[in-house]
Amino acid sequence: MHRGPISVAKPSLNGIWLLTGCIDSTVRVWKYNGQNMQLQATFCGHDGGKITCLDISTTFGSIVTGGSDGKILVWDLRTLTFLRTLHHPASAKNSVHDGSTKSPAVKSVSINHKNGNIVTLLHSTVCVFDINGNLIAKQDPGFNFEGNEVPSCVIATDCPEWMESGIVAVAGHMNGDVSLWSIDYDTELLVLRHILPERVHSCPITALRVSGDRQDTLLIGDKSGKMSACETVKLEQLNASELESLMVEMQMGDD
């Protein structure tokens, strides 16, 4: 294994690959051969500190790693070599106001398994990059979270690029909130579409997963170990009065 304690681990969706990150800033890539996990490679690219987040896509042959050094690195799963660094906009690095010149740690990296896009969370700023490392959208620099409203983790959904107002990212927050984000392609900004109205959690969200063939179930876990599931409502399941109430809420939201 690693020379030091493992700080984070991430399996591939097919269960064949496993990534482990260490407090010594290294990442190791393992492959299951049917009986044992065999070491395939060790990645060294982060500048000290622990690895904070990982993701892997066998569909696109991509590995993404984030560390406490503020770096987000992309690696090729097929050749097990370094590809590129993802560069967050300056606003993300400047969002820490403690007077420190040190880059904030990367909180989350997540790959969209339908198009290869990468969603990242650096301190309180969410960004979306394409598979080639180009910045697609960033959080509006004027939109700042404060206090315990700051995001604690974020995941990509499998929303396709062509879907207007589609939810491309789900974020969990320090106060237990869960928010849904889409992309405004005209402004190249991420738009906050919705915050789940019923706050089931009251401490930092630490784990999120969108599941189901139709991406209609959201699994949520928090720091205390509490877990919950949220499912989307199908219009055909609502009665007339519920539909009327929904229409009123939508009209109020538009106003």
Side-chain angles (χ1 to χ4, degrees), residues 92-97 104-107 121-125 150-152:
K93 298 180 180 180
N94 295 335
S95 57
V96 179
H97 302 292
V106 182
K107 291 183 179 179
L121 174 60
L122 181 62
H123 187 56
S124 62
T125 302
V150 170
S152 52

Side-chain angles (χ1 to χ4, degrees), residues 11-249:
S12 62
L13 291 180
N14 62 11
I16 295 177
W17 297 87
L18 175 68
L19 307 177
T20 55
C22 182
I23 62 170
D24 66 2
S25 76
T26 62
V27 175
R28 293 198 173 186
V29 184
W30 307 81
K31 189 175 183 180
Y32 181 61
N33 65 3
Q35 293 182 330
N36 301 300
M37 299 299 296
Q38 293 185 333
L39 180 63
Q40 303 296 307
T42 299
F43 295 158
C44 301
H46 290 273
D47 297 330
K50 68 179 182 180
I51 302 300
T52 55
C53 48
L54 304 161
D55 204 4
I56 178 172
S57 171
T58 55
T59 303
F60 293 94
S62 299
I63 293 173
V64 186
T65 64
S68 59
D69 58 353
K71 281 187 175 182
I72 303 171
L73 306 181
V74 182
W75 312 79
D76 190 318
L77 174 61
R78 298 178 179 91
T79 61
L80 298 173
T81 56
F82 172 76
L83 286 178
R84 64 183 62 88
T85 299
L86 299 184
H87 298 284
H88 254 255
S91 58
K93 298 180 180 180
N94 295 335
S95 57
V96 179
H97 302 292
D98 59 0
S100 173
T101 58
K102 183 180 178 181
S103 297
V106 182
K107 291 183 179 179
S108 292
V109 293
S110 181
I111 303 172
N112 181 322
H113 295 281
K114 293 296 185 183
N115 56 25
N117 288 350
I118 301 167
V119 176
T120 62
L121 174 60
L122 181 62
H123 187 56
S124 62
T125 302
V126 182
C127 290
V128 181
F129 297 84
D130 68 16
I131 192 172
N132 296 313
N134 302 305
L135 181 64
I136 297 176
K138 62 182 179 181
Q139 189 176 309
D140 189 338
F143 188 93
N144 292 319
F145 292 101
E146 297 182 355
N148 64 356
E149 295 179 349
V150 170
S152 52
C153 62
V154 67
I155 59 167
T157 70
D158 285 348
C159 176
E161 292 181 84
W162 49 261
M163 183 178 291
E164 293 184 9
S165 301
I167 301 302
V168 300
V170 180
H173 298 255
M174 297 294 291
N175 61 0
D177 279 341
V178 176
S179 57
L180 311 180
W181 298 77
S182 65
I183 297 177
D184 183 333
Y185 287 96
D186 293 330
T187 62
E188 297 183 347
L189 293 176
L190 282 162
V191 178
L192 176 60
R193 292 293 181 186
H194 187 65
I195 295 179
L196 297 189
E198 296 183 6
R199 184 188 293 174
V200 178
H201 301 266
S202 57
C203 61
I205 303 299
T206 56
L208 295 164
R209 180 169 180 177
V210 180
S211 64
D213 294 336
R214 300 179 62 180
Q215 297 273 282
D216 56 1
T217 302
L218 175 62
L219 306 177
I220 307 167
D222 67 25
K223 187 177 180 180
S224 72
K226 184 177 182 178
M227 296 180 289
S228 65
C230 177
E231 294 186 350
T232 56
V233 176
K234 298 178 177 61
L235 294 180
E236 59 267 24
Q237 296 176 341
L238 302 179
N239 58 40
S241 61
E242 290 172 331
L243 281 171
E244 184 178 355
S245 298
L246 179 61
M247 292 299 296
V248 171
E249 290 182 10

